[in-house]
Amino acid sequence: MTRKRIAVSIEAAPKKTFATAVDWPGWSRSGKTKELALHALADYADRYAPVAKLAGEEFPTTDGLDFEIVERQGGGGGTEFGVPSNVTDQDHRKTSAHDGDRLARVVEAAWRTFDSVAKSAPEELRKGPRGGGRNTSKVVEHVVGADEAYAHEMGIKLKAPIKEIRAAMLEVLREPSDGSPISDRKWTARYAARRIAWHALDHAWEIEDRSKPAE
């Protein structure tokens, strides 16, 4: 693995900020401040690296990551709720057939990671500090439901098993794009890839963390 610059976008709301690696769909973490969000992004590099490898991508070394902020945007209610919800200027970049194939491979790797984690996890997960939190089957149900909604955002109206819906989503991502929203809606191909991958990985890591006894 080689060390190289990691381009990062910042989405900042008063109470929560997301730092997102713009060329690595799904590698996006939050914190109360920009500094804490960047720290969280660095902390999750080792957890993201296997996803990149699964996608067939060479991931930069996690030793001394070189983050470069290339875009800053104000966040809104979605950001405060805990979702990287802004479609940024970086998301409006064009995608070639090569770019689209890479986006699709990373998203597929995120789904495979989530499915693998969920399959090996116990049904009963450790509760949060106030006794909240879904068990594994409910997290799986939530992710599947979200993917069905994401498919609709991509102009896919398909009543089929989730495997077929996800396959259709990957086909959309593989299509070259001039950076315009997909199907005249809001999401671009790059935003769709990072939102979908982020959601799958966020819950995969949640399941992993909540499968462990409280420290």
Side-chain angles (χ1 to χ4, degrees), residues 24-206:
W24 294 98
W27 189 17
S28 181
R29 306 312 296 165
S30 66
K32 291 184 178 180
T33 65
K34 178 195 72 177
E35 290 74 21
L36 290 174
L38 288 168
H39 184 74
L41 191 68
D43 279 350
Y44 274 74
D46 284 333
R47 298 180 81 169
Y48 185 84
V51 181
K53 182 178 180 180
L54 189 60
E57 292 294 311
E58 183 180 1
F59 193 68
T61 177
T62 58
D63 182 19
L65 291 169
D66 183 15
F67 291 143
E68 178 182 351
I69 298 174
V70 296
E71 185 172 357
R72 301 171 188 262
Q73 285 200 2
T79 320
E80 297 281 29
F81 184 70
V83 176
S85 51
N86 282 6
V87 179
T88 67
D89 291 342
Q90 295 294 315
D91 294 324
H92 281 282
R93 289 175 295 159
K94 295 179 181 180
T95 59
S96 63
H98 174 79
D99 296 328
D101 177 68
R102 182 178 183 275
L103 293 179
R105 284 188 284 107
V106 176
V107 170
E108 185 174 25
W111 280 330
R112 288 174 63 187
T113 298
F114 174 81
D115 291 344
S116 176
V117 168
K119 184 177 180 180
S120 61
E123 171 60 13
E124 285 287 327
L125 299 175
R126 177 170 49 83
K127 302 302 181 184
R130 296 180 179 83
R134 290 171 283 222
N135 285 332
T136 299
S137 60
K138 290 297 184 182
V139 178
V140 171
E141 183 180 313
H142 167 71
V143 171
V144 169
D147 284 340
E148 291 171 342
Y150 295 160
H152 183 76
E153 287 295 328
M154 298 170 71
I156 298 168
K157 299 178 181 179
L158 182 64
K159 292 184 178 180
I162 189 61
K163 183 177 180 180
E164 294 181 27
I165 292 173
R166 285 176 173 174
M169 294 163 78
L170 295 178
E171 285 303 308
V172 171
L173 292 178
R174 290 189 184 102
E175 288 293 321
S177 168
D178 64 1
S180 298
I182 301 169
S183 297
D184 297 321
R185 296 177 71 85
K186 179 182 177 182
W187 290 13
T188 66
R190 290 184 186 274
Y191 178 78
R194 72 176 176 90
R195 174 68 176 270
I196 296 162
W198 165 80
H199 191 250
L201 292 176
D202 191 56
H203 285 296
W205 295 332
E206 174 201 355

